[in-house]
């Protein structure tokens, strides 16, 4: 345990994650209507959120802390996003979407953060596959197929995927396997995200 971890009680870390989520949610909703397409894209496509959850997992001192902090961040972000739309922009509450994203905040998001925590501390094909899956979500749910219309987001997607499979792995062999798995897992992620999009309407 490092000095930084000893000085950050669990409750304070959760509160900080929640506060960051609130700010991120407001910023994302503000970006939606800000005018520039690149700003709206950054909040809409998964790259920024996947990176945030992965970094929360990577920086957490334990699996439980990774899961809890990511859940707090994403739940607060979700409430802030839809709350800002309803109360400030007077767009009304989208209750079904709010509930759906809160469910993801309590399930897929903490699982992803825990997987990132575990994978960034180990070597081998399984950690590589987990990091490649995160990169696959970024690329599969992004704009690479329409990069000419979304050039800034396309660059962001590639940069985030690169961080996940080049920077975060612990050694060269894990890094290589992660890079090789990114393309097929991006294909899988694109199909799964398509199903999720249909379910969310």
């Amino acid at each position: 345990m490092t000095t930084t971890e000893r000085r950050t009680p669990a409750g304070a870390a959760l509160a900080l994650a929640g506060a960051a989520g609130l700010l991120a949610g407001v910023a994302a909703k503000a970006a939606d209507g800000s005018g520039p397409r690149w700003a709206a894209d950054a909040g809409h496509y998964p790259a920024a959120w996947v990176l945030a959850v992965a970094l929360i997992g990577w920086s957490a001192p334990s699996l439980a802390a990774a899961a809890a902090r990511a859940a707090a961040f994403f739940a607060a972000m979700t409430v802030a996003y839809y709350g800002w739309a309803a109360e400030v922009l007077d767009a009304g509450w989208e209750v079904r979407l709010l509930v759906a994203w809160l469910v993801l905040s309590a399930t897929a998001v903490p699982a992803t953060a825990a997987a990132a925590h575990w994978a960034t501390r180990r070597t081998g094909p399984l950690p590589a596959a987990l990091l490649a899956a995160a990169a696959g979500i970024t690329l599969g749910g992004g704009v690479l197929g329409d990069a000419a219309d979304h050039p800034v987001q396309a660059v962001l997607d590639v940069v985030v995927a690169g961080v996940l499979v080049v920077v975060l792995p612990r050694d060269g062999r894990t890094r290589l396997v992660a890079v090789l798995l990114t393309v097929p897992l991006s294909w899988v992620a694109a199909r799964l995200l398509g199903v999720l999009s249909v379910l969310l309407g």
Side-chain angles (χ1 to χ4, degrees):
M1 182 178 290
T2 67
T3 302
T4 300
E5 290 166 1
R6 287 197 300 269
R7 291 178 179 175
T8 307
L14 281 178
L16 183 60
L22 289 174
L23 291 174
V26 170
K29 192 58 195 178
D32 277 352
S34 64
R37 169 176 266 184
W38 65 265
D41 283 350
H44 176 73
Y45 290 101
W49 310 119
V50 172
L51 181 61
V53 170
L55 291 179
I56 289 170
W58 167 74
S59 64
S62 67
L63 280 172
R69 292 176 189 182
F73 171 85
F74 217 85
M77 184 272 293
T78 298
V79 171
Y81 182 92
Y82 288 107
W84 187 268
E87 300 300 327
V88 177
L89 303 180
D90 200 27
W93 284 93
E94 297 182 77
V95 176
R96 186 174 62 84
L97 287 175
L98 173 63
V99 170
W101 285 108
L102 286 176
V103 169
L104 289 174
S105 299
T107 55
V109 168
T112 299
H117 174 89
W118 185 87
T120 54
R121 286 160 172 78
R122 288 164 177 80
T123 62
L126 182 54
L130 291 173
L131 293 170
I137 294 170
T138 297
L139 298 177
V143 298
L144 289 187
D146 196 19
D149 286 339
H150 304 267
V152 175
Q153 185 62 37
V155 171
L156 180 61
D157 287 351
V158 172
V159 168
V160 169
V163 170
L164 293 168
V165 299
V166 175
V167 177
L168 293 186
R170 291 197 59 169
D171 70 345
R173 182 172 297 180
T174 304
R175 191 172 295 119
L176 176 61
V177 175
V179 170
L180 293 175
L181 288 175
T182 295
V183 171
L185 289 179
S186 296
W187 183 87
V188 173
R191 272 107 196 113
L192 293 176
L193 289 170
V195 172
L196 179 62
S197 179
V198 171
L199 292 175
L200 294 177

